[in-house]
Amino acid sequence: MKRTKLFLPVILLVCLMSCGHLPKEYATINDYPLYEGTDLGATYYATHTKFRVWSPAAQAVRLNIYEHGLNGKPLAVYGMNRSEKGTWTYSVKQDLKGKFYTFQIQKNGKWLGETPSLWCKAVGVNGNRGAIIDLKETNPQGWETDKRPEMKSFTDAVIYEVHMRDFTIAPNSGSSYPGKFLGLSESGTRSPEGFKTGLDHLKELGITHLQILPSYDYASIDETQLDKNEYNWGYDPKNYNVPEGGYSTDPYNPVTRIKEMKEMIHQLHANGIRVIMDVVYNHTFVGEDSHLNLMVPGYFYRFNNDGSWGNSSGCGNETASERLMTRQFIIESVKHWINEYHIDGFRFDLMGIHDIETMNAIRQAINEIDPTISIHGEGWAAGGSPLPENLRAVKQNAPQFYPIGVFSDDIRDALRGNWMDGNKGGFLVGNGYEESIKFGIVGAVSHPQIDLTKIVHSQTAYAKTPAQVINYVSCHDDPCLVDKLKATIPEASEQELIAMNKLAQTIVFTSQGVPFIYAGEEIFRDKKGVHNTYKSPDAVNQINWSNKAKYHDVFNYYQQLIALRKAHPAFRMSTAEQVNKHLTFRTQDKNLVSYMIQDYANGDSWKTILVIFNGNRQDISYTLPAGNWTAVCEHGKLNQSGLGTYTQTINVSASSATILYQP
Ligand code: CA
């Protein structure tokens, strides 16, 4: 996430300081006891509903029951009872199904605002009140047999990042559920030109993992005004354990959003695609009045020494993952998404804000369920934090939180240019960065032929194995690939841009590590040159499905590229030792990187593979090693069954990749 939110930094001197009114047993907020029970929030039974919240320093807690998720006075208000480990409980001995609830705590003699608490698992419209439902009734048909598609190694993954709304909101998507969860579970949709769209498109392309932008309940879209067609990426969490209402067909009915998200996941699974969820535990949309802070003021956030809110998220607050109950909350939340929704992986937004110990604890908890569930994240923060960097899950500390993956901003910026350098461009436009491209090729592991002092952002080989690094050239942040190239070389023809687009992804898909693409790049998507589209209208963000006919050659190339990677384990080695043993760089001239993978690496059917990347904007003549070579990729075409045989030299077109092999 990189996003600037338009609210003033909230400077508060309350928080830690005002905890002078803590009950005697808690000298500081860090003395609050850990409650490890899994029954926080509301637990529904036909005969009664049990409520439990954790708020150790509250003077009193009350529970409000409502008829609706919005408006109206409470049907009943109950005083909750102090219970173990800082919790408060109350059991309402009626069938409350369909009713709504909030909690309020009393602090310094004053009642704070109402909150469904951070633990609620169902909400009414806009997520202001918790909903009492029977979770079993949210299961779609066939849910009992829903299974995670098989995955042997994370390096086998092909990740495709998509925003729910972008994918199906354009009328030419042919979707019956534009912009909704159900849009992704629908088969048979076609563009006006007759090409597959939606789920069928994903299958045709051959991806293995769909990474969905935030789909928990976020705050920026008013769910009572969905006809206004507002847009947001959703990096503004409100309720972590509930799906976003704007993606459901009825945000007022608390069952609908849950059932429809499950249906989406079920259909993706049935079609062999795993689902990775983008999670944003690093900050909340608002600080002081968030559901977290209204429940336990000051506890869930970091503060600077002067009492001001920590802001390493750039959004006005940052959570304190190192506090025991915050850590406990994140672990239980992730488990909820796995157990209740069958989520297959997590992408941690600004993971560099979280402490290493918490990330390892999350990994451990997930391993106990299924070690193939993946975790990766952004190994950086958006600003300084009160928690020292050596304790945080930033990229350079990656060996300490192996096997959690990190995005390689090194290969990204080597390809397209350092993000701090404006539109200067990178290897793709003939602007060097050869050493960083090599570092990307080996999957950010240590390799004797790489000079780490020349890498764009890193001085260390941070990946323990290639599975720990996500390779990409663009994602939702910053300009998409086409817009970036256009901004970098405005004089280039579309044919040149297409060549560079193909070169970019050929490098991503043949590099060791985990390849990641941003939705629509395979059909030459652009976002009208807008760099930060987090709240841009559909006209900017939507995928224009007519591009699939117009740029069908690009689509075919991506499809072939994915098929090549899947067919050749040499591009998917799982250890640093394998990479060091089999992969050697050959020549290196200005804007030229080439390497060989030898000796049937990782069980490949090809004995030797030679890969040549020409970032120059002119053709070059390349001297081949001895013997006959079969080209499977050259001049912007890719075909595994061979495009030609060469000895001695080969012509490599401007801005293109050539891949050859010896059987
Ligand atoms: Ca919402």
Side-chain angles (χ1 to χ4, degrees):
M1 182 207 63
K2 193 180 292 155
R3 186 174 62 100
T4 17
K5 206 152 66 182
L6 300 173
F7 67 76
L8 296 168
V10 187
I11 311 279
L12 273 188
L13 293 166
V14 264
C15 59
L16 297 171
M17 311 310 156
S18 66
C19 300
H21 296 278
L22 288 174
K24 270 202 200 89
E25 63 263 41
Y26 309 123
T28 78
I29 223 161
N30 291 317
D31 298 331
Y32 289 2
L34 171 66
Y35 178 73
E36 292 181 289
T38 54
D39 61 342
L40 289 167
T43 311
Y44 169 80
Y45 302 94
T47 49
H48 64 288
T49 295
K50 260 180 63 183
F51 297 88
R52 186 191 291 271
V53 291
W54 180 82
S55 192
Q59 293 165 321
V61 181
R62 68 188 180 201
L63 164 68
N64 307 298
I65 303 292
Y66 291 94
E67 185 64 36
H68 301 291
L70 196 67
N71 303 327
K73 290 200 161 56
L75 299 172
V77 178
Y78 304 103
M80 297 184 76
N81 305 309
R82 256 190 207 280
S83 182
E84 56 180 307
K85 308 272 188 194
T87 64
W88 301 74
T89 59
Y90 197 84
S91 193
V92 181
K93 297 195 171 41
Q94 303 166 31
D95 187 348
L96 285 183
K97 189 158 77 180
K99 301 286 191 282
F100 296 83
Y101 66 91
T102 62
F103 303 102
Q104 278 177 283
I105 74 152
Q106 195 185 54
K107 191 193 167 197
N108 300 337
K110 282 210 308 233
W111 288 101
L112 303 191
E114 294 179 54
T115 169
S117 87
L118 55 161
W119 301 282
C120 66
K121 296 185 168 81
V123 293
V125 70
N126 276 336
N128 292 324
R129 290 177 187 167
I132 301 159
I133 62 166
D134 185 352
L135 271 173
K136 285 195 287 298
E137 292 173 8
T138 64
N139 293 345
Q141 212 180 358
W143 190 242
E144 320 71 51
T145 59
D146 183 74
K147 257 182 72 184
R148 233 179 268 304
E150 206 184 318
M151 186 186 77
K152 288 200 183 78
S153 163
F154 195 39
T155 51
D156 297 344
V158 175
I159 303 176
Y160 184 94
E161 185 194 42
V162 74
H163 182 278
M164 208 66 62
R165 193 173 171 95
D166 295 1
F167 205 56
T168 53
I169 198 69
N172 62 12
S173 72
S175 176
S176 317
Y177 303 99
K180 305 292 182 191
F181 288 128
L182 292 181
L184 267 165
S185 62
E186 189 182 14
S187 295
T189 57
R190 297 290 181 268
S191 69
E193 298 82 8
F195 289 98
K196 290 176 179 173
T197 65
L199 176 58
D200 289 356
H201 172 79
L202 297 178
K203 278 175 69 180
E204 190 180 18
L205 184 58
I207 62 143
T208 66
H209 286 64
L210 188 72
Q211 180 174 305
I212 50 174
L213 260 76
S215 298
Y216 52 74
D217 181 34
Y218 58 80
S220 52
I221 299 293
D222 184 347
E223 296 173 10
T224 69
Q225 308 276 325
L226 292 180
D227 53 344
K228 285 192 176 165
N229 286 316
E230 286 173 0
Y231 182 96
N232 207 288
W233 282 344
Y235 291 90
D236 43 70
K238 187 163 180 178
N239 291 292
Y240 284 110
N241 292 339
V242 188
E244 162 57 22
Y247 297 143
S248 77
T249 57
D250 181 4
Y252 289 85
N253 182 337
V255 170
T256 309
R257 59 177 79 189
I258 301 177
K259 193 170 189 170
E260 290 178 348
M261 187 171 177
K262 285 180 172 177
E263 175 65 14
M264 173 191 84
I265 295 163
H266 182 43
Q267 291 309 324
L268 286 161
H269 282 176
N271 286 286
I273 297 170
R274 286 192 172 209
V275 182
I276 296 172
M277 193 169 151
D278 195 334
V279 288
V280 189
Y281 295 108
N282 66 72
H283 77 281
T284 49
F285 180 57
V286 291
E288 196 187 0
D289 292 326
S290 75
H291 291 333
L292 285 67
N293 208 52
L294 288 174
M295 201 71 240
V296 195
Y299 182 84
F300 293 106
Y301 298 92
R302 291 186 192 136
F303 296 89
N304 298 312
N305 286 336
D306 65 358
S308 59
W309 290 68
N311 188 21
S312 61
S313 68
C315 295
N317 63 76
E318 66 180 273
T319 54
S321 54
E322 67 280 11
R323 293 232 167 87
L324 295 183
M325 274 303 278
T326 317
R327 179 178 297 157
Q328 173 78 5
F329 171 71
I330 298 173
I331 291 170
E332 288 303 321
S333 176
V334 163
K335 283 165 72 177
H336 178 65
W337 287 106
I338 295 171
N339 294 328
E340 191 63 36
Y341 292 85
H342 303 179
I343 286 289
D344 310 291
F346 299 90
R347 176 263 189 202
F348 275 75
D349 185 67
L350 298 180
M351 185 168 70
I353 293 178
H354 299 309
D355 67 298
I356 293 169
E357 197 178 339
T358 294
M359 292 312 301
N360 282 328
I362 296 166
R363 182 67 264 180
Q364 188 54 41
I366 290 181
N367 282 350
E368 285 165 21
I369 302 171
D370 180 348
T372 73
I373 294 170
S374 57
I375 309 181
H376 61 272
E378 292 182 304
W380 50 78
S385 167
L387 191 73
E389 195 171 73
N390 65 321
L391 299 178
R392 290 189 275 118
V394 292
K395 193 182 64 176
Q396 58 269 32
N397 296 335
Q400 294 177 58
F401 50 85
Y402 177 82
I404 294 169
V406 290
F407 283 97
S408 173
D409 52 347
D410 299 297
I411 192 169
R412 182 197 70 199
D413 285 4
L415 288 165
R416 59 192 275 158
N418 192 335
W419 67 277
M420 291 179 280
D421 281 352
N423 289 325
K424 268 179 88 177
F427 184 79
L428 296 176
V429 300
N431 193 26
Y433 290 99
E434 299 87 359
E435 207 65 19
S436 298
I437 294 289
K438 287 165 61 185
F439 183 62
I441 288 167
V442 300
V445 302
S446 172
H447 189 285
Q449 286 178 286
I450 291 171
D451 180 354
L452 289 169
T453 64
K454 293 184 184 159
I455 307 307
V456 52
H457 297 301
S458 303
Q459 286 75 49
T460 58
Y462 44 84
K464 268 192 166 177
T465 73
Q468 208 184 355
V469 73
I470 309 288
N471 293 322
Y472 69 124
V473 63
S474 69
C475 66
H476 65 274
D477 273 326
D478 302 318
C480 63
L481 178 55
V482 173
D483 284 339
K484 176 73 184 184
L485 289 170
K486 282 182 180 169
T488 306
I489 37 167
E491 79 287 359
S493 69
E494 190 169 271
Q495 278 317 306
E496 284 179 283
L497 298 176
I498 287 173
M500 289 168 188
N501 178 310
K502 288 177 177 175
L503 173 62
Q505 302 295 5
T506 314
I507 296 174
V508 167
F509 275 85
T510 52
S511 287
Q512 305 300 321
V514 181
F516 171 106
I517 49 172
Y518 181 44
E521 282 173 350
E522 73 284 11
I523 52 172
F524 212 62
R525 170 194 199 169
D526 73 274
K527 295 201 284 189
K528 298 190 160 63
V530 183
H531 286 204
N532 182 2
T533 66
Y534 82 95
K535 58 172 192 176
S536 299
D538 291 335
V540 170
N541 278 302
Q542 70 191 2
I543 290 180
N544 173 7
W545 287 96
S546 288
N547 272 21
K548 192 167 176 182
K550 192 172 173 194
Y551 300 105
H552 205 65
D553 164 64
V554 178
F555 175 78
N556 281 338
Y557 188 89
Y558 274 65
Q559 194 189 30
Q560 292 293 323
L561 195 52
I562 292 171
L564 174 78
R565 184 178 173 88
K566 284 182 169 175
H568 289 280
F571 301 118
R572 299 182 272 119
M573 289 186 255
S574 50
T575 67
E577 291 70 34
Q578 277 180 302
V579 176
N580 276 275
K581 184 179 165 207
H582 296 287
L583 196 152
T584 11
F585 291 97
R586 269 194 101 230
T587 54
Q588 183 177 326
D589 294 322
K590 186 79 185 141
N591 303 313
L592 182 77
V593 173
S594 69
Y595 65 97
M596 292 214 285
I597 307 179
Q598 289 167 297
D599 298 328
Y600 305 103
N602 204 20
D604 208 287
S605 57
W606 290 342
K607 184 178 182 206
T608 308
I609 304 172
L610 173 61
V611 184
I612 308 160
F613 298 131
N614 180 18
N616 293 294
R617 295 178 68 188
Q618 301 86 33
D619 294 13
I620 56 139
S621 176
Y622 184 93
T623 307
L624 292 167
N628 289 322
W629 292 88
T630 303
V632 292
C633 176
E634 57 174 340
H635 314 306
K637 302 246 169 299
L638 211 165
N639 186 336
Q640 277 185 67
S641 37
L643 294 161
T645 316
Y646 297 89
T647 50
Q648 295 178 338
T649 60
I650 187 168
N651 179 56
V652 182
S653 312
S655 319
S656 83
T658 297
I659 303 172
L660 309 109
Y661 77 93
Q662 287 180 331

